[in-house]
Amino acid sequence: MKLLIEKVVYGGDGLARLSDGSVFVPFTLPGETVEAREVSTGGGRREAELVQVLQPSSARVAPECAHFGVCGGCQYQHATYDEQLAMKRAILSESLERAGLSELPAIVTHTAEPWGYRNRIRLRLAEVDGVLRVGYLRRGSSEFLPVQMCPIASPLLWRAAQALLTLLSEDAQWLRSALEVEFFTNAGETKLQMLLFVEREPAKGFERFSERLRERVPELVGAGVSVIASAGRNRKTQRMRPGTAWGADGMGCDAAGESYWVSRGAFFQVNRFLIDELVRLVTGGRGGSVAWDLFAGVGLFSRVLAKQFARVVAVEAAADDLARSFKSEGRVAVNATTVEFLRRAVLERERPELVVMDPPRAGVGAEVCALLARVCAPEMVYVSCDPVTLGRDLKAMVDSGYTLAELHMVDLFPQTFHQETVAVLRRETA
């Protein structure tokens, strides 16, 4: 098929319209004329694979990574960075408009270095032709793809992955047992944590294995094992139990003038260059008596808010790291889900001046939106990694009386279709 690409949609595919419907083609750009071959998906959505670009966009560039197009990690390396940002802004606007939101504020874009930004990578381990390799999954499949580079990863992470493979001759039992490995570093690449995922844990030798790796990568401060306790390779359905460990069980990560303790395997924002800017957008210029930080994680926003509000309540369902560090007068760490906390708060008629929320990709959902409408805080800041669920939730909040005052797109995930949005909602107080 010869197709004219109209736009790029969330997920990274280009959209072309035909008389009998739309076709989606990956690795294309708006305005391009391409030749594509339709593929069968069985899902009701017409998809095609790119055969050749007949008339390229002026924004098309050569990708930096040799695995681009085959690896499932990146979708936008064929576009200039300015074009990537333009596509993401268009997708954000369209997602919010489709949700029924009109009169959107101008989208303010926040960027940093678009390569080498990731502070965490999780690699698979598998033998290829008798040689142990690290890699990801091939795009759209569960097939292992050995890789020789990952230019969006912090250089230390890739150096650690290469060093790991040199241990095979000395510590084969641990590497042969591992299905995956995760590396995590701080913004300055001065410290490194490693987590091995295994199905069966060898009886001994992990301390020596870790120390040998530290000889090659001196930044390594801690390592641990996570034993996969359930069948199946789907990460979403796997159950894990902690195994043996070596060194520190986490490390301090500096951001926005604060130091956060992040346990091995715990969540922390992935872009090491933009964390400070994200915190500034959420917390800057705000202060008062009471603030709530919902889905607080390790307290990325809570710690800064505590300097500006007399009392900050940080709510997190997995609050181990938060409870360890967020304690003193005016700082309250609550180990609960956001919906559990809000149900109690509504009954007790608590009302903060600011609500911050940074939910997972599924968003906050209808019940949380309804409870927040009853809390009626004068200002809310919503941090989202999914424009579709963001649009759904913002529409509910606007319908309850809030005004969408600010929209910020913080590009935490360059070269990929993923995007982070900071939305500021305000309402008139009685």
Side-chain angles (χ1 to χ4, degrees):
M1 298 182 292
K2 183 179 179 180
L3 301 170
L4 174 63
I5 304 301
E6 177 184 315
K7 61 182 178 180
V8 170
V9 300
Y10 187 57
D13 292 346
L15 179 147
R17 298 189 192 277
L18 298 176
S19 59
D20 58 346
S22 299
V23 181
F24 297 89
V25 190
F27 312 120
T28 56
L29 297 175
E32 289 188 328
T33 301
V34 303
E35 182 183 347
R37 180 183 299 110
E38 190 163 357
V39 294
S40 175
T41 63
R45 167 174 152 139
R46 294 182 66 185
E47 297 184 0
E49 60 182 11
L50 179 64
V51 176
Q52 62 176 323
V53 180
L54 302 174
Q55 294 180 5
S57 164
S58 59
R60 178 171 284 273
V61 296
E64 292 280 331
C65 182
H67 307 293
F68 178 68
V70 181
C71 174
C74 294
Q75 298 79 35
Y76 284 169
Q77 286 192 30
H78 60 300
T80 65
Y81 191 45
D82 283 345
E83 180 69 5
Q84 293 182 34
L85 297 173
M87 292 189 296
K88 290 183 178 184
R89 283 191 296 268
I91 289 167
L92 176 58
S93 292
E94 183 174 349
S95 297
L96 300 185
E97 289 166 359
R98 281 179 176 272
L101 294 161
S102 58
E103 300 180 7
L104 298 176
I107 298 171
V108 182
T109 306
H110 305 262
T111 65
E113 169 59 45
W115 300 101
Y117 62 86
R118 287 193 65 93
N119 60 22
R120 188 190 305 269
I121 57 173
R122 185 165 166 179
L123 296 156
R124 294 173 187 263
L125 289 156
E127 284 193 9
V128 178
D129 298 327
V131 178
L132 189 68
R133 302 284 300 276
V134 294
Y136 297 115
L137 292 181
R138 290 183 180 273
R139 185 176 70 88
S141 79
S142 57
E143 182 182 347
F144 177 74
L145 173 71
V147 297
Q148 299 174 330
M149 61 172 61
C150 184
I152 65 172
S154 153
L156 173 60
L157 302 182
W158 187 249
R159 176 159 59 88
Q162 292 176 305
L164 185 71
L165 295 180
T166 68
L167 299 176
L168 187 59
S169 61
E170 304 169 12
D171 296 278
Q173 61 174 345
W174 283 100
L175 284 176
R176 298 287 185 199
S177 300
L179 299 176
E180 296 182 80
V181 60
E182 179 178 282
F183 290 108
F184 173 59
T185 186
N186 57 0
E189 299 183 288
T190 59
K191 295 179 180 179
L192 179 75
Q193 281 281 347
M194 179 183 73
L195 184 60
L196 279 183
F197 296 85
V198 305
E199 284 185 322
R200 294 180 181 84
E201 189 174 13
K204 58 184 180 178
F206 187 71
E207 181 176 350
R208 186 187 69 169
F209 172 70
S210 301
E211 289 174 350
R212 300 246 180 173
L213 181 59
R214 185 176 59 177
E215 291 172 3
R216 292 159 172 80
V217 188
E219 296 88 347
L220 186 70
V221 296
V225 176
S226 186
V227 182
I228 301 171
S230 62
R233 300 296 176 91
N234 187 335
R235 289 180 183 175
K236 293 182 179 180
T237 61
Q238 285 176 349
R239 290 183 295 107
M240 306 286 185
R241 63 173 176 83
T244 189
W246 167 88
D249 63 357
M251 64 187 187
C253 293
D254 294 334
E258 293 284 331
S259 183
Y260 300 84
W261 180 260
V262 183
S263 293
R264 185 168 42 248
F267 173 78
F268 197 67
Q269 289 289 354
V270 74
N271 189 312
R272 63 195 182 103
F273 301 134
L274 274 174
I275 294 178
D276 285 13
E277 179 69 0
L278 179 64
V279 175
R280 184 192 68 79
L281 284 173
V282 173
T283 65
R286 296 181 169 92
S289 298
V290 181
W292 292 350
D293 183 12
L294 311 179
F295 309 94
V298 298
L300 181 63
F301 305 126
S302 308
R303 296 278 291 276
V304 178
L305 289 171
K307 298 176 181 178
Q308 302 161 195
F309 286 81
R311 185 170 184 264
V312 174
V313 180
V315 181
E316 173 56 47
D320 291 346
D321 286 346
L322 184 66
R324 179 187 302 186
S325 62
F326 197 69
K327 52 186 179 182
S328 65
E329 186 178 352
R331 301 183 178 198
V332 181
V334 177
N335 190 343
T337 66
T338 289
V339 71
E340 289 169 345
F341 169 78
L342 288 175
R343 286 170 183 165
R344 292 196 300 267
V346 165
L347 291 175
E348 295 170 6
R349 299 186 177 182
E350 297 182 16
R351 189 186 186 205
E353 291 151 281
L354 173 70
V355 173
V356 170
M357 46 197 155
D358 185 6
R361 195 169 302 281
V364 300
E367 184 176 2
V368 168
C369 288
L371 291 168
L372 287 169
R374 294 175 64 184
V375 170
C376 206
E379 185 174 39
M380 297 195 294
V381 181
Y382 190 137
V383 183
S384 168
C385 61
D386 188 301
V388 177
T389 58
L390 174 66
R392 176 202 67 201
D393 293 341
L394 290 182
K395 180 61 166 65
M397 293 172 189
V398 167
D399 288 347
S400 72
Y402 281 91
T403 298
L404 182 56
E406 297 177 27
L407 270 178
H408 300 266
M409 192 190 79
V410 189
D411 195 30
L412 297 185
F413 314 99
Q415 318 309 327
T416 82
F417 73 86
H418 300 289
Q419 56 181 266
E420 194 89 351
T421 305
V422 177
V424 179
L425 296 128
R426 299 190 181 105
R427 71 184 302 157
E428 295 295 330
T429 57

